[in-house]
Amino acid sequence: MFFVCLSCLAAGMLFGCKDKKPETDENQGNKDSVAVADTIDTLVVDTVPEDAMDSLISATPMPVSADELFDDFLFNFAANKKLQYERVRFPLKVVEGDSETVIERKDWHQEHYFMKQEFYTLIFDDESQLELVKDTRVDSVVVEKIDLKAKEVEQHIFNRVNGQWVLTEIDRNSMFENPNKAFLSFYENFAADSLFQIQSMNEPVSAVLPDPDDEYEMIEGEFHPEQWPEFKPMDLPADHLYNIIYGQRYTQSKQKLLVFRGIANGLESTMTFRVVDGKWKLVKLVN
């Protein structure tokens, strides 16, 4: 009977309802880190020309406190062209295989990362690694741009230098050299094929969803593979994926957490995949 209840409520409890959760310190930190994204959304709605928008954002200095947490810095870095040019160490070293080149300041183009989409993604081995996101002691972070079609991964390496985050290097590698290669190969098929998604469901899948009758509570239950279309949180990115490495060390783990975090809206969804009988399966969904 509980399956039926969850199924009936699914439409009202998907990804878009996550922002009903009470404000915790962690939620507040995420809210602070997307303040610039809020500004961008407001400007776009007001139909400010792109050049004027860049000028407005660049004229706003980044708070000193934004260098404490990488997320706070990254949103400012991606949105503020002037800040970005100040925080790239030119000539920027680019390593690709055995070759090494540089990008001069005059040849650099502003990198917006995931700012033009509604969310960004993170990959973890387990829940304990989630704590690294808010760890102010982290002094080296890697932003991965994963091209699933080309099977390439571009890593932007940031280091804290004299208390300030700086982009110091770009590394380009094959996806098959990435420690998450097995999961990424699976995810490419999973994101592109709706039938394969259903085939990749555990039987059953655990679910934790917001209670539509109480914004401070969550409902725990489970659903069957054929119910996946009702619970699917969003259209999954099938061509490109982003990942931020805050120092987590990946292993050939048989479990991966794929986290989707909304930009400027506080939304969040976590999909836990685990190898079951030799195949990756979605075992848990938290919206």
Side-chain angles (χ1 to χ4, degrees), residues 67 70 73 87 138-141 158-160 164-166:
D67 269 313
F70 180 77
F73 161 76
R87 294 298 187 90
V138 172
D139 57 11
S140 182
V141 174
F158 292 83
N159 290 285
R160 205 195 303 261
Q164 295 184 330
W165 287 104
V166 178

Side-chain angles (χ1 to χ4, degrees), residues 255-258 270-274 281-284:
Q255 174 178 280
K256 297 294 177 184
L257 276 63
L258 181 60
T270 300
M271 301 168 66
T272 301
F273 294 87
R274 192 173 298 143
K281 299 284 186 179
L282 176 67
V283 299
K284 184 176 182 180

Side-chain angles (χ1 to χ4, degrees), residues 80-97:
N80 191 323
K81 184 175 182 179
K82 180 175 182 291
L83 173 69
Q84 187 165 131
Y85 274 82
E86 292 174 350
R87 294 298 187 90
V88 177
R89 179 179 287 173
F90 294 112
L92 181 64
K93 182 167 71 171
V94 179
V95 178
E96 187 168 3

Side-chain angles (χ1 to χ4, degrees), residues 98-216:
D98 296 327
S99 66
E100 183 176 314
T101 57
V102 296
I103 299 176
E104 300 290 349
R105 180 185 177 90
K106 63 181 177 62
D107 298 319
W108 178 257
H109 299 286
Q110 184 177 5
E111 175 62 72
H112 291 286
Y113 297 106
F114 40 71
M115 293 294 289
K116 294 186 178 181
Q117 61 187 36
E118 297 179 353
F119 59 87
Y120 63 103
T121 49
L122 305 167
I123 301 173
F124 299 100
D125 277 358
D126 54 63
E127 293 184 0
S128 67
Q129 294 181 344
L130 289 166
E131 300 302 316
L132 289 169
V133 176
K134 299 303 176 185
D135 190 345
T136 57
R137 296 170 299 178
V138 172
D139 57 11
S140 182
V141 174
V142 178
V143 178
E144 291 188 322
K145 300 170 61 180
I146 304 167
D147 188 328
L148 296 167
K149 299 302 182 184
K151 306 295 189 296
E152 296 175 347
V153 179
E154 184 170 284
Q155 295 184 321
H156 289 211
I157 301 172
F158 292 83
N159 290 285
R160 205 195 303 261
V161 179
N162 297 324
Q164 295 184 330
W165 287 104
V166 178
L167 175 60
T168 58
E169 184 177 324
I170 292 177
D171 287 358
R172 295 174 179 148
N173 296 287
S174 164
M175 192 173 80
F176 301 110
E177 298 178 52
N178 192 276
N180 290 317
K181 59 185 178 182
F183 175 72
L184 292 174
S185 294
F186 157 78
Y187 174 80
E188 181 187 1
N189 294 326
F190 183 84
D193 188 335
S194 58
L195 179 60
F196 183 67
Q197 290 175 17
I198 294 176
Q199 295 171 343
S200 301
M201 299 288 114
N202 195 46
E203 177 61 84
V205 178
S206 298
V208 181
L209 305 170
D211 185 342
D213 298 321
D214 188 340
E215 62 182 358
Y216 300 118

